[in-house]
Amino acid sequence: MSRLFDDHAKQQLNSKTQPQAKFWGSYEDIGGRTMSLNTGNINIFHNRNNGIEYNDIDVIYVPPNWKVRADGCGERRYCNQGVRVGDFDGLGSQNGTTGIYYNFRMGELPINDIDELWVTQKDDTDETNPSATVPYTWDRFRLKCCAGAIEEGKCGIHVAGTSGNDCDEVVGTCLGSDLKNPYGSKPSYKTQYCSKYAKTHDNIGDLIKRTWCNNNPDDPWCSCMNLTKTPEYLKWQKLMTERYPEIPVSVLMYGGKDGTNPCRDNMDYDMSEIFIPSGVLASKGQLPKSYNISTLEISGDNNVLSNVSMSQNVVNNDPAKAVADTVGDGTSALSNMLSFITKPAEALGSTYGLSADTVHMILIFIAVVLFGTAGYYMFMDDAPAGHPPAGYPPMGYPPMGYPPPMGYPQPNK
């Protein structure tokens, strides 16, 4: 018995366009008496097709998205109360190969007993609304295969990730709307496939998102993709560059007037509530410090913090550091401090009858103490609250050379 009809069925699974149903009039003469039908019906009791006539069909092939109903009634007076009917589904089979039926006996309809055929496209359950149906087109069949909704053995080349697959062609039709997979929704097969592809191919995903957001600037899904075009961000970027020229600006550093950032705040919701570029997603878990726009400007005059005067720093309860930041190098700092305290010290000597040498010694002592304090703040590293600056021993440990606290056992010498 020839199995060329099995080979035919497998080849049709690889088709990019809708294959036809096919009927063979003989197991042995596969290339001879055959007929291929689109949807519709034919009564072979009266109309021969390429040599096939009534009671003359041995093998049937049905595409996966079609079905065939056949009966042996011929003319209704031979129908025997309508029991001689068989239904053939394209995703099923009787002998192992998808859509192939032979040696069949469907109901009371045996082999070589078909007189009339009805070929129809099936309906398919709508994955986004299980109570509804949609036409089962060939493109839908291919897409279901690419999305993994049909087992691979019934899909031919329509399997994502396999050699020679044609699923990549589907990507060319993906839009930003196809990547939207709202949380809790029932996504379409196209959304399932396009979003999966976008997540595994960053460059394609970014292109689809960017194209969609360029064409739909008011779409709330695009609030991150279009962030860098907004006036508030551009203002923040300018202030950030002026305030910290040495720091490369990242969109993740941004904080709006209310401190929010649609990219930074929604990194767990890409393609479920918002579109986020792959470069931003790659930074998840390594977020830089956020800078609110209000920290980069002074209300009213648009000056940046680097221009704040010494008196404003003093208000911020950091007088020693303010002096160090304002006066510059150590020599000018000492000179400024001495001039700051000279007149009050001289007045003190005059009031209490101190000699010039004594007043001079007092001035030197005060200057050394003040300058030492300023120098400490100038060169110490910033450290978290409750911790000593870098380079100093941690709090709670005795300085080297001092005896250990009482109550601890001493090592044997």
Side-chain angles (χ1 to χ4, degrees):
M1 181 182 295
S2 172
R3 299 297 297 270
L4 290 178
F5 35 81
D6 288 326
D7 294 336
H8 172 84
K10 292 175 182 177
Q11 291 171 7
Q12 298 311 297
L13 283 179
N14 297 333
S15 178
K16 295 181 181 180
T17 58
Q18 178 69 63
Q20 296 175 293
K22 191 162 187 175
F23 305 86
W24 289 267
S26 170
Y27 285 121
E28 306 301 332
D29 186 18
I30 292 299
R33 294 184 298 127
T34 66
M35 63 178 178
S36 297
L37 296 179
N38 286 314
T39 53
N41 71 291
I42 183 172
N43 187 327
I44 56 177
F45 190 84
H46 292 292
N47 300 288
R48 298 181 65 181
N49 189 302
N50 197 28
I52 294 180
E53 55 187 338
Y54 65 93
N55 298 341
D56 201 21
I57 294 178
D58 284 3
V59 183
I60 294 176
Y61 164 70
V62 188
N65 60 324
W66 284 4
K67 62 183 178 182
V68 172
R69 165 160 280 207
D71 73 27
C73 295
E75 294 186 23
R76 292 299 158 187
R77 64 179 181 271
Y78 300 125
C79 198
N80 190 23
Q81 298 180 351
V83 295
R84 298 168 63 198
V85 176
D87 291 309
F88 304 88
D89 187 297
L91 270 180
S93 71
Q94 202 173 20
N95 305 92
T97 301
T98 301
I100 286 290
Y101 296 86
Y102 61 93
N103 281 348
F104 48 85
R105 185 178 183 86
M106 309 297 289
E108 294 298 318
L109 184 68
I111 191 172
N112 287 330
D113 202 17
I114 293 177
D115 296 333
E116 195 167 7
L117 298 161
W118 288 271
V119 182
T120 57
Q121 177 181 274
K122 295 187 292 186
D123 289 328
D124 194 32
T125 301
D126 183 352
E127 68 278 15
T128 66
N129 180 11
S131 62
T133 59
V134 293
Y136 201 174
T137 64
W138 187 251
D139 284 343
R140 179 172 177 80
F141 165 74
R142 295 170 61 199
L143 189 57
K144 287 183 70 172
C145 283
C146 292
I150 299 176
E151 59 187 273
E152 292 185 9
K154 296 183 177 182
C155 288
I157 64 172
H158 318 301
V159 179
T162 61
S163 177
N165 82 86
D166 72 342
C167 291
D168 291 354
E169 295 180 8
V170 178
V171 177
T173 68
C174 291
L175 303 174
S177 55
D178 296 317
L179 301 188
K180 293 182 178 183
N181 182 12
Y183 180 76
S185 71
K186 296 180 175 63
S188 68
Y189 292 125
K190 190 174 183 184
T191 290
Q192 292 177 40
Y193 177 68
C194 290
S195 58
K196 180 179 179 180
Y197 194 95
K199 288 178 180 178
T200 54
H201 298 79
D202 292 343
N203 57 332
I204 300 298
D206 286 344
L207 178 61
I208 296 172
K209 294 174 187 176
R210 180 63 63 197
T211 301
W212 176 263
C213 291
N214 284 342
N215 295 328
N216 299 274
D218 297 326
D219 189 336
W221 282 66
C222 296
S223 57
C224 172
M225 299 297 293
N226 291 338
L227 174 62
T228 57
K229 300 177 183 178
T230 62
E232 186 173 297
Y233 178 88
L234 294 174
K235 177 182 178 181
W236 172 89
Q237 185 181 47
K238 180 177 182 295
L239 292 173
M240 184 69 187
T241 303
E242 292 175 351
R243 178 68 177 89
Y244 299 109
E246 72 282 3
I247 300 178
V249 175
S250 163
V251 70
L252 290 174
M253 296 175 179
Y254 172 74
K257 290 181 179 178
D258 56 357
T260 60
N261 180 325
C263 298
R264 186 185 183 103
D265 300 342
N266 296 286
M267 295 188 71
D268 291 328
Y269 302 101
D270 180 46
M271 290 192 284
S272 64
E273 294 181 11
I274 192 173
F275 292 146
I276 298 182
S278 61
V280 173
L281 291 173
S283 300
K284 185 176 180 179
Q286 301 176 359
L287 297 180
K289 180 181 178 181
S290 178
Y291 296 85
N292 189 294
I293 195 170
S294 64
T295 67
L296 302 177
E297 67 177 354
I298 299 173
S299 178
D301 59 10
N302 287 328
N303 290 326
V304 294
L305 290 180
S306 58
N307 295 330
V308 176
S309 67
M310 172 182 169
S311 62
Q312 289 170 310
N313 269 331
V314 171
V315 172
N316 291 333
N317 299 319
D318 199 358
K321 192 173 189 300
V323 172
D325 288 343
T326 304
V327 299
D329 63 276
T331 302
S332 59
L334 180 58
S335 174
N336 277 274
M337 290 180 188
L338 287 174
S339 65
F340 180 74
I341 64 175
T342 295
K343 290 184 178 180
E346 290 174 346
L348 180 68
S350 175
T351 300
Y352 291 97
L354 300 175
S355 67
D357 290 340
T358 302
V359 171
H360 183 64
M361 291 297 294
I362 292 174
L363 289 176
I364 293 175
F365 176 78
I366 294 175
V368 169
V369 170
L370 287 178
F371 186 72
T373 302
Y376 172 82
Y377 283 98
M378 286 175 62
F379 299 109
M380 69 178 287
D381 293 331
D382 290 338
H387 296 269
Y392 288 81
M395 297 290 289
Y397 288 86
M400 187 174 294
Y402 284 76
M406 295 297 292
Y408 286 83
Q410 307 301 308
N412 296 325
K413 295 184 178 180

